[in-house]
Amino acid sequence: MNIILMGPPGAGKGTQAAKLVKEFGLTQISTGDLFRKAHREQTSIGVISDYFSKFGRLVPDDFTNEMVYDYLKENMNNFGNGFILDGYPRTILQARELEYFEESLGFKIDAVINLDVDFDVLKKRLSGRRTCKNCGATFHIMYKPPKVEGVCDNCGGELYQREDETEAAVKVRLSTYEGQTRPLIDYYKMKGMLTNINGDQSMDDVYSDIKKCLEAL
Ligand code: AP5
Ligand code: ZN
């Protein structure tokens, strides 16, 4: 089972993907995480992506598509029960390119799940998020606090606030979402692939709705 998990910044894609990985043995492919890893390793794509990401803008399609294609091609036999695309595609051009990848690499996207959350809620979620420097796990100072402040529950790593979580960058991320990514909702609706889920519920209730959708498949 291969699925696309869509939604605005802070909608809970990473949170829900982590639950799906644990229960269903799926592999999470987060383009945001891949870019951040490339940045830490100072590869050329890492340097380029950081230039756009830190201001809240999308990395240009050509770079993003190439990175995703290479990743899929290299790992096609290691995805276990399938994969979750978290944060890709984010433009119509990326969605079209993904269709080309399906043909050339021989896989199929089974469903597109869209997490719907109001912008006011998103702002609160993004400003309170803390991410583990070591394993990438995410927490929230109010909604999912770590047991010890500033320390990851999973691995003991240090928690930090991402560079693109400043008020200015969040503003750009939300307007970029409106302009470039929201049109994908209609794109996948017209293809009959989209399930909309209310992302403004508790993490467990959102997860239970996602599970119902996947079980129906
Ligand atoms: P990326 O890392 O993908 O960021 P994003 O889409 O903005 O998503 P986030 O990771 O911020 O949020 P999320 O939906 O995963 O929410 P989370 O579960 O953490 O991308 C970063 C950048 O990389 C982009 O800006 C762009 O520059 C570049 N990029 C990536 N993909 C690209 C692409 N395809 N094309 C071009 N550029 C690309 O939850 C957020 C917080 O809320 C957490 O603290 C969590 O604990 C809390 N929370 C989650 N669910 C709930 C709930 N139900 N109730 C209460 N709190 C909750
Ligand atoms: Zn950790």
Side-chain angles (χ1 to χ4, degrees):
M1 184 166 57
N2 302 316
I3 60 175
I4 295 173
L5 197 51
M6 268 181 32
K13 302 180 294 293
T15 301
Q16 299 300 330
K19 287 173 179 281
L20 290 166
V21 167
K22 217 170 168 186
E23 185 170 349
F24 293 101
L26 300 172
T27 303
Q28 175 188 11
I29 306 172
S30 156
T31 39
D33 286 348
L34 290 176
F35 285 133
R36 283 185 288 276
K37 180 168 179 277
H39 175 58
R40 281 196 300 277
E41 293 167 355
Q42 284 293 295
T43 64
S44 52
I45 184 75
V47 173
I48 293 165
S49 64
D50 186 59
Y51 175 78
F52 295 94
S53 294
K54 69 177 167 204
F55 299 115
R57 294 171 55 200
L58 292 184
V59 179
D61 285 335
D62 285 352
F63 295 111
T64 307
N65 288 331
E66 191 182 330
M67 178 182 74
V68 173
Y69 180 79
D70 290 347
Y71 186 86
L72 288 172
K73 194 169 175 204
E74 211 178 300
N75 294 287
M76 216 56 225
N77 297 322
N78 308 322
F79 288 133
N81 293 332
F83 58 78
I84 309 159
L85 283 172
D86 159 4
Y88 183 90
R90 274 190 213 224
T91 64
I92 299 282
L93 268 175
Q94 290 181 13
R96 296 223 173 97
E97 196 69 5
L98 179 61
E99 283 153 23
Y100 161 74
F101 297 167
E102 286 184 71
E103 264 177 48
S104 61
L105 298 175
F107 64 89
K108 184 173 165 286
I109 298 294
D110 300 292
V112 181
I113 294 175
N114 181 52
L115 301 178
D116 193 16
V117 183
D118 277 353
F119 275 18
D120 286 345
V121 176
L122 295 174
K123 283 182 196 153
K124 281 189 203 136
R125 287 191 186 173
L126 290 171
S127 61
R129 176 169 52 192
R130 298 293 180 270
T131 307
C132 176
K133 260 188 184 164
N134 186 39
C135 75
T138 52
F139 298 87
H140 191 283
I141 51 171
M142 278 168 68
Y143 311 132
K144 191 188 171 191
K147 289 187 187 109
V148 178
E149 197 187 317
V151 180
C152 174
D153 288 356
N154 299 351
C155 74
E158 186 192 335
L159 301 183
Y160 78 110
Q161 196 165 15
R162 266 167 45 180
E163 212 179 6
D164 61 356
E165 275 161 350
T166 60
E167 206 178 311
V170 166
K171 215 169 158 190
V172 177
R173 280 163 72 192
L174 293 176
S175 68
T176 303
Y177 170 81
E178 271 307 310
Q180 293 186 257
T181 308
R182 194 184 278 284
L184 280 177
I185 295 178
D186 281 341
Y187 183 83
Y188 284 118
K189 207 187 271 173
M190 273 162 55
K191 286 179 173 285
M193 293 171 76
L194 189 93
T195 302
N196 244 319
I197 284 178
N198 175 12
D200 191 3
Q201 314 178 70
S202 74
M203 296 177 202
D204 287 345
D205 286 346
V206 175
Y207 186 58
S208 140
D209 282 358
I210 293 178
K211 266 173 66 172
K212 273 183 217 150
C213 156
L214 297 183
E215 276 155 17
L217 286 173

